[in-house]
Amino acid sequence: MKILAIGRNYLEHAKELNNPVPEEPVIFLMPETALIKKNQPFFYPDFSNDVHYEVELVLKINRLGKNISEKFAHRYYDEIGIGIDFTARDLQNELKKKGLPWEKSKGFDGAAPIGKFIAKESLSDVHNISFSLEKNGESVQNGNSKDMIFSFDAIIAHVSKFFTLKIGDLIFTGTPAGVGPVKIGDELVAKIEGHELLKLHVK
Ligand code: ZN
């Protein structure tokens, strides 16, 4: 399986990192080894001093598809989850400055914890899903899928032009504003519509 991720998909987040608002989805990939499942801990990597959390809604692809039209894109996922796109911001800034790919800063081991997935049907409207992240009991990020620059369907249509989607592939759909650093000892809790689906300790 593969993990696709979308950068700069929320206006306020693009602004907070002084990034331009994209005209088409910004795509990057992460390897399967980036995943953390079942609330296993995240081990702070020794190559960074500035790892940031980015909470994101995650789509789980349920059928094979290429060149999917936006109109039919909703048929390609029936579960939505929540994940954290950990980013070694110091490393990413260096790579960006040099015009190099971001993979080392985004796709390292453990950079993509995912929580439990829930059925799309259990949500009243996929275009209006609230989600949040708490750090040590304090709310740090609050997002809603209605504020995405590119909708789930637009993302699926766009990425599937370049990458055939396969069953089990995951798509991280971008983070809202409020990203910030984690340190060893922190506890992160991510929720969709108030339901806790991911809890993780930084070790
Ligand atoms: Zn992200």
Side-chain angles (χ1 to χ4, degrees):
M1 59 84 64
K2 60 185 169 296
I3 307 163
L4 293 152
I6 305 301
R8 305 172 191 170
N9 201 22
Y10 289 79
L11 201 57
E12 293 305 317
H13 171 63
K15 280 192 202 158
E16 75 179 343
L17 294 185
N18 293 316
N19 285 319
V21 176
E23 279 159 27
E24 58 174 51
V26 175
I27 309 170
F28 58 95
L29 278 95
M30 294 190 268
E32 193 173 354
T33 43
L35 291 177
I36 300 177
K37 294 178 183 172
K38 298 182 178 162
N39 293 341
Q40 291 292 307
F42 170 73
F43 291 97
Y44 203 103
D46 60 9
F47 49 76
S48 176
N49 294 308
D50 194 25
V51 173
H52 280 200
Y53 54 78
E54 295 188 353
V55 73
E56 313 202 357
L57 293 171
V58 181
L59 306 178
K60 192 188 275 184
I61 297 300
N62 64 358
R63 54 199 284 190
L64 183 75
K66 182 168 175 64
N67 286 321
I68 300 161
S69 73
E70 198 168 326
K71 194 168 85 180
F72 296 121
H74 65 275
R75 298 183 184 172
Y76 287 79
Y77 67 98
D78 49 23
E79 284 182 285
I80 297 176
I82 198 154
I84 298 171
D85 169 23
F86 276 125
T87 305
R89 195 71 73 199
D90 42 1
L91 200 51
Q92 188 195 29
N93 286 339
E94 262 175 56
L95 295 166
K96 276 163 79 173
K97 227 184 287 166
K98 294 180 189 158
L100 294 171
W102 299 346
E103 271 75 4
K104 282 197 296 187
S105 66
K106 286 279 197 183
F108 58 86
D109 287 353
I114 49 169
K116 282 186 210 140
F117 283 77
I118 53 177
K120 191 167 68 177
E121 280 72 47
S122 70
L123 297 158
S124 50
D125 179 5
V126 294
H127 305 293
N128 187 4
I129 303 171
S130 69
F131 62 105
S132 63
L133 184 71
E134 288 164 21
K135 186 173 89 168
N136 305 325
E138 227 173 275
S139 170
V140 286
Q141 282 191 283
N142 283 288
N144 190 300
S145 60
K146 72 172 159 38
D147 298 320
M148 295 194 301
I149 299 170
F150 301 102
S151 67
F152 295 146
D153 295 346
I155 291 169
I156 287 172
H158 185 75
V159 300
S160 70
K161 282 187 211 171
F162 304 91
F163 306 101
T164 296
L165 295 178
K166 295 177 77 175
I167 294 172
D169 285 352
L170 300 175
I171 305 179
F172 278 64
T173 59
T175 195
V179 302
V182 290
K183 58 180 190 326
I184 291 171
D186 283 347
E187 181 192 77
L188 299 174
V189 171
K191 297 177 180 174
I192 290 179
E193 299 286 346
H195 301 290
E196 180 179 315
L197 298 174
L198 172 64
K199 180 193 245 178
L200 156 144
H201 288 95
V202 180
K203 292 199 170 174

